[in-house]
């Protein structure tokens, strides 16, 4: 979050340089990053800081007579700023678009949005319509009391998130045990190395594999962690706070979209599947740690439903709810296959030097694993994990 917080001051220094101001001809483009801020502080805190940073940067640009175009560095997943295009644009702060917008489109989102001609036109229509609507009918600016409540909630959410992810000595061991993060890094299936440097903990892990690993276990921890603590604090601090949160959800596009995206991720999650990964892959000493995280998940879900007024997740989006219900049997099968395959790989189910590679296998098995003859594991294991990763990512509609 520190880079976002310092962005207005950086722009002020930059625009104060005469030769630079003369060179840019009254126009400036800046990129707002969603991925690393979410990984640093969690979805709620990152979203609020991005909102405030945009407002402040626009004010700085206006003071210097500069037309500012904001380049949104969003990923495909909610944990990296993703979500429905139309809603995402309409939830941006007033006066931050002005008819011009840039966004990143990456990963599976490219195929989903531009894979066919009719998808290209539909995508461009969504961007154009939302950009025009934002300018012609700007979203409602947050009331001062809404801002004050967000400024109370987000430090609590950030503290809870960082306390678990960065300050708990058990977390890294648990994360590497319960998710396929290590296997993902070794299999070289991403567009870039999973880590910025070989050594180091969570801080050195790139945002995509960080989100991807939790997506695979259906736990989605980076998206909801911290939300429960923040909502619990303000709800228990005063009777009127719950009413104010509900008012914010009903009247403020930014807050509504933020909670709706988290609700969608919680609906895609499955604590029972996450518990299966714990039972199969995690040592006895970390079982309580995983159980505590699942309790936090339930707390976040219950409080979110209280604020939104929904009886169950995705009550307001029955179409998506039905789609997820139809996918569930296939996803559960893939998760079970993945977790037991990871168990075999980690138990040392490898090819010995005398196995002769694939030569000792009967023909159908040999044909099955011809895709990867250089694996260090027993035939088919690594290929199985890759296939389950792709299947689960397709079912979740994001890879990270």
């Amino acid at each position: 979050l520190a880079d976002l917080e310092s962005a207005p001051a950086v722009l002020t220094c930059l625009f104060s340089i005469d030769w630079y101001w003369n060179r840019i001809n009254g126009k400036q483009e800046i990129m707002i990053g969603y991925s690393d801020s979410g990984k640093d502080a969690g979805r709620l805190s990152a979203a609020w800081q991005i909102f405030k940073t945009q407002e402040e940067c626009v004010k700085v640009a206006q003071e210097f007579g500069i037309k500012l175009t904001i380049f949104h560095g969003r990923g495909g997943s909610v944990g990296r700023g993703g979500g429905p295009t139309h809603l995402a644009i309409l939830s941006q702060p007033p006066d931050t678009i002005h008819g011009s917008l840039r966004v990143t489109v990456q990963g599976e989102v490219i195929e989903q949005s531009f894979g066919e001609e009719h998808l290209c036109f539909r995508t461009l229509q969504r961007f154009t319509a939302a950009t025009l609507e934002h300018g012609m009918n700007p979203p409602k600016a947050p009331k001062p009391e809404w801002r004050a409540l967000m400024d109370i909630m987000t430090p609590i959410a950030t503290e809870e998130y960082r306390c678990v992810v960065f300050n708990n000595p058990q977390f890294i061991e648990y994360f590497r045990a319960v998710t396929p993060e290590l296997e993902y890094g070794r299999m070289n299936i991403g567009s870039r190395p999973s880590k910025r440097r070989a050594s180091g903990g969570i801080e050195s892990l790139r945002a995509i594999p960080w989100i991807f690993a939790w997506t695979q276990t259906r736990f989605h921890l980076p998206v909801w962690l911290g939300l429960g603590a923040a909502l619990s604090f303000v709800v228990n601090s005063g009777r009127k706070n719950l009413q104010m949160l509900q008012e914010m959800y009903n009247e403020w596009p930014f807050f509504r979209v933020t909670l709706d995206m988290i609700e969608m991720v919680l609906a895609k999650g499955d604590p029972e599947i996450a518990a299966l990964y714990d039972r199969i892959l995690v040592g006895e000493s970390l079982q309580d740690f995983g159980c505590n995280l699942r309790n936090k998940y339930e707390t976040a879900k219950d409080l979110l439903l209280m604020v939104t007024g929904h009886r169950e997740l995705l009550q307001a989006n029955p179409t998506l709810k039905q789609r997820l219900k139809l996918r569930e049997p296939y996803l559960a099968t893939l998760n079970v296959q993945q977790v037991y395959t990871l168990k075999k790989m980690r138990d040392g189910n490898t090819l010995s030097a005398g196995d002769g590679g694939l030569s000792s296998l009967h023909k159908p098995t040999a044909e099955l694993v011809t895709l990867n003859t250089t694996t260090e594991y027993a035939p088919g294991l690594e290929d199985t994990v890759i296939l389950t990763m792709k299947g689960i990512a397709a079912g979740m509609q994001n890879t990270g």
Side-chain angles (χ1 to χ4, degrees):
L1 295 184
D3 291 339
L4 289 170
E5 292 169 350
S6 62
V10 171
L11 279 184
T12 299
C13 291
L14 186 63
F15 294 154
S16 298
I17 302 173
D18 291 338
W19 69 263
Y20 184 85
W21 189 90
N22 293 328
R23 185 72 176 265
I24 61 176
N25 197 28
K27 298 179 182 179
Q28 177 68 54
E29 180 178 287
I30 61 170
M31 185 173 188
I32 299 290
Y34 288 70
S35 300
D36 287 333
S37 56
K39 178 168 162 282
D40 177 52
R43 170 66 171 166
L44 180 68
S45 299
W48 179 231
Q49 186 57 54
I50 288 169
F51 187 95
K52 293 193 295 182
T53 296
Q54 290 184 76
E55 291 181 317
E56 293 164 5
C57 286
V58 167
K59 289 179 182 177
V60 170
Q62 290 174 345
E63 290 173 4
F64 285 89
I66 303 295
K67 183 181 186 301
L68 193 68
T69 297
I70 297 178
F71 185 0
H72 296 266
R74 302 166 64 223
S77 61
V78 174
R80 297 180 55 237
T85 299
H86 191 263
L87 293 178
I89 293 175
L90 293 183
S91 66
Q92 299 304 314
D95 301 322
T96 58
I97 292 183
H98 290 303
S100 62
L101 177 77
R102 283 194 69 182
V103 298
T104 51
V105 180
Q106 54 186 286
E108 73 284 348
V109 182
I110 296 175
E111 184 175 358
Q112 292 170 5
S113 302
F114 300 97
E116 298 180 23
E117 184 178 357
H118 73 280
L119 294 177
C120 291
F121 283 106
R122 186 184 303 170
T123 299
L124 292 173
Q125 285 172 350
R126 286 173 178 166
F127 275 104
T128 303
T131 302
L132 288 173
E133 184 176 348
H134 189 281
M136 297 171 67
N137 185 24
K140 185 175 183 177
K143 298 177 181 179
E145 57 266 33
W146 297 353
R147 288 181 174 275
L149 196 59
M150 286 297 295
D151 285 336
I152 292 172
M153 285 198 300
T154 49
I156 296 168
T158 301
E159 182 180 1
E160 167 85 355
Y161 180 91
R162 290 176 176 171
C163 182
V164 172
V165 174
F166 296 108
N167 299 332
N168 193 310
Q170 291 183 303
F171 182 79
I172 293 179
E173 182 184 357
Y174 175 80
F175 169 64
R176 289 175 174 165
V178 79
T179 72
E181 182 262 332
L182 292 175
E183 288 75 15
Y184 173 90
R186 287 201 298 266
M187 290 176 187
N188 195 30
I189 60 176
S191 60
R192 293 179 291 180
S194 61
K195 287 191 172 185
R196 289 183 169 86
R197 58 181 185 275
S199 60
I202 302 301
E203 69 282 352
S204 67
L205 189 67
R206 292 186 187 274
I208 292 177
W210 167 243
I211 299 293
F212 180 89
W214 290 110
T215 300
Q216 291 291 300
T217 67
R218 309 277 297 282
F219 202 40
H220 307 286
L221 177 140
V223 177
W224 55 261
L225 184 60
L227 176 69
L231 292 178
S232 177
F233 178 83
V234 296
V235 168
N236 294 326
S237 296
R239 295 179 180 179
K240 293 184 178 180
N241 285 345
L242 177 58
Q243 294 178 347
M244 188 182 298
L245 288 169
Q246 293 170 336
E247 180 187 22
M248 291 162 63
Y249 179 76
N250 291 322
E251 299 182 17
W252 186 15
F254 162 78
F255 192 68
R256 185 181 188 93
V257 168
T258 299
L259 290 195
D260 282 350
M261 292 300 98
I262 297 175
E263 181 181 10
M264 180 190 71
V265 169
L266 289 171
K268 289 183 175 183
D270 190 333
E272 293 185 3
I273 292 293
L276 175 67
Y277 278 76
D278 271 21
R279 289 197 301 270
I280 303 300
L281 300 176
V282 176
E284 187 66 30
S285 63
L286 293 172
Q287 290 293 323
D288 288 343
F289 185 82
C291 183
N292 183 44
L293 288 179
R294 289 192 295 278
N295 290 337
K296 293 179 184 293
Y297 176 101
E298 295 296 338
T299 299
K301 183 183 76 171
D302 292 343
L303 287 166
L304 182 140
L305 290 175
M306 185 187 300
V307 172
T308 61
H310 297 163
R311 293 187 304 274
E312 56 187 11
L313 295 172
L314 294 183
Q315 178 180 319
N317 193 345
T319 301
L320 178 57
K321 184 177 179 180
Q322 179 64 15
R323 288 177 180 174
L324 294 178
K325 185 177 180 180
L326 292 173
R327 296 176 203 161
E328 178 55 34
Y330 305 98
L331 284 166
T333 301
L334 288 167
N335 280 121
V336 172
Q337 181 68 63
Q338 183 182 91
V339 72
Y340 279 100
T341 304
L342 289 170
K343 176 67 172 173
K344 288 182 180 180
M345 292 171 68
R346 294 175 183 182
D347 283 348
N349 202 335
T350 60
L351 287 170
S352 64
D355 282 342
L358 302 176
S359 60
S360 61
L361 304 174
H362 55 80
K363 188 175 180 181
T365 306
E367 290 176 351
L368 177 67
V369 295
T370 50
L371 289 173
N372 188 358
T373 59
T374 60
T375 176
E376 63 183 280
Y377 301 104
L381 292 183
E382 192 169 287
D383 291 323
T384 299
V385 168
I386 292 176
L387 288 172
T388 59
M389 284 181 177
K390 291 180 178 179
I392 293 168
M396 293 289 98
Q397 290 292 288
N398 60 67
T399 56

